Amino acid sequence: MIHSRRRFMLMLAGAGLPGRSGARDEEHGAALRFGLTPVFLDNQVAFLDRWRAWLEPRVGHRVTFVRRGTYREIVDALRNRELDFAWICGYPYARHAAELTLMAVPVFRGKPLYRSYLIVPSRDTASRSMLDLRGKVFAFSDPDSNSGYLYPSFLLASTQDQPERYFRRSFFTWAHRSVVEAVARELADGGAVDGYVWETLARLQPQLTARTRVIHKSPEFGFPPLVAHPALARTDYLAMRGALLQMNADAEGRVLLDRLNLDGFIPGNAKLFDGIGRMMTALKNSANAPVS
């Protein structure tokens, strides 16, 4: 089992590493740079090519999708104006909301909301909650993920515990799909995953999610938003925002949304992320609390 875990971690380190493309294209004019964190689609290159082809005539620019291996790389690139737009998690949005412009929020199953899932291997028929995972091996997705790190850490903090003390060992997989794979392969006894990702994998790859079992679902949180750099030209911001908001009114747009397992996009409201902000504050206060 130890060797299997090592092989899995090496696989994660080498798989899906993002290219460093995304600079403005001088020959074809300025491209709008759109940052993406690791996604779960089984054929992401083909999908992104198709999405790019749909977006470009609607925004009047070339669109370059820029992928990175962690949430923080994408958020830092956007804050440094190396990107124009990004699809990020609600946790970094809540942390940096003053530096970002909320552009759109996806709608999933009729709501701009999602949940964090705690999962275990399907062969584990005994575990019912986080309490049953004490002293075991746990997989987080990314330290800047709400569903994959903040929420489960908040759960532990509410019982005066921390991941370092609670689990025998924990590790980051750096992608939600990889959390599901780690638990399915029993390289982890449990994991925290974006519920939307788990549900979409259940639709696209049911043989994978069938090897896991959901033991807990969080309250609903604002769905990971699409944001823009505040210094972006207003015309470019409105063009991209308008294209996204109209995707469900277009036949090809609906095909793309179906591939994303989304109903569409709405303008959204910063208040959607208040719950995440409250967890951030509570977790910070618990970390600063004196040890009794």
Side-chain angles (χ1 to χ4, degrees):
M1 180 65 74
I2 292 175
H3 294 303
S4 295
R5 286 182 179 137
R6 285 176 179 167
R7 285 196 298 271
F8 181 71
M9 296 310 292
L10 287 172
M11 178 187 73
L12 292 180
L17 292 178
R20 310 303 285 184
S21 63
R24 300 269 179 169
D25 188 296
E26 298 297 335
E27 181 180 352
H28 298 95
L32 293 175
R33 302 157 297 180
F34 203 129
L36 299 171
T37 54
V39 293
F40 56 85
L41 297 172
D42 56 351
N43 190 1
Q44 55 185 273
V45 174
F47 173 80
L48 291 178
D49 283 346
R50 192 169 176 178
W51 197 12
R52 180 188 299 112
W54 186 88
L55 283 170
E56 287 180 340
R58 289 164 175 81
V59 300
H61 285 278
R62 285 176 31 99
V63 174
T64 301
F65 287 112
V66 181
R67 287 173 289 169
R68 296 287 183 265
T70 69
Y71 287 21
R72 182 155 299 181
E73 287 177 283
I74 285 294
V75 173
D76 286 349
L78 182 62
R79 293 170 65 207
N80 294 331
R81 210 178 176 189
E82 297 166 13
L83 296 171
D84 302 299
F85 309 100
W87 195 344
I88 65 174
C89 181
Y91 184 13
Y93 173 73
R95 186 189 295 143
H96 302 292
E99 304 171 69
L100 305 171
T101 299
L102 180 61
M103 180 170 62
V105 179
V107 178
F108 174 56
R109 295 182 173 176
K111 300 178 181 180
L113 306 169
Y114 81 122
R115 301 176 189 267
S116 171
Y117 285 5
L118 297 185
I119 60 174
V120 298
S122 57
R123 293 203 305 173
D124 175 1
T125 58
S127 296
R128 291 289 181 268
S129 71
M130 181 70 89
L131 295 174
D132 298 310
L133 298 178
R134 180 185 291 273
K136 297 186 178 182
V137 178
F138 194 85
F140 294 106
S141 65
D142 185 293
D144 291 305
S145 167
N146 170 49
S147 57
Y149 183 71
L150 178 65
Y151 175 71
S153 298
F154 172 76
L155 275 184
L156 295 179
S158 66
T159 60
Q160 305 301 308
D161 243 311
Q162 296 175 350
E164 296 77 11
R165 295 196 305 252
Y166 194 82
F167 301 117
R168 175 164 57 86
R169 187 170 70 87
S170 63
F171 60 92
F172 291 103
T173 69
W174 305 105
H176 287 285
R177 175 181 176 142
S178 297
V179 171
V180 180
E181 291 174 342
V183 174
R185 296 174 60 181
E186 300 186 25
L187 301 176
D189 301 305
V193 65
D194 181 323
Y196 155 73
V197 172
W198 191 93
E199 295 290 354
T200 302
L201 284 172
R203 173 185 170 188
L204 298 176
Q205 292 188 298
Q207 72 281 5
L208 173 61
T209 52
R211 294 163 61 192
T212 70
R213 184 168 64 86
V214 178
I215 63 170
H216 173 80
K217 296 182 181 182
S218 74
E220 293 179 320
F221 300 111
F223 203 101
L226 285 74
V227 298
H229 191 283
L232 180 69
R234 182 74 174 166
T235 52
D236 292 338
Y237 166 79
L238 291 175
M240 182 64 75
R241 182 174 180 266
L244 293 171
L245 299 185
Q246 291 299 312
M247 278 188 73
N248 61 356
D250 174 84
E252 173 67 3
R254 288 192 294 273
V255 171
L256 295 168
L257 287 168
D258 182 69
R259 187 71 183 86
L260 287 169
N261 197 23
L262 294 174
D263 302 334
F265 296 94
I266 62 172
N269 188 307
K271 290 186 179 298
L272 285 169
F273 307 95
D274 284 353
I276 295 174
R278 287 191 291 270
M279 285 196 302
M280 284 173 46
T281 300
L283 201 59
K284 181 179 179 180
N285 290 343
S286 68
N288 292 332
V291 178
S292 56

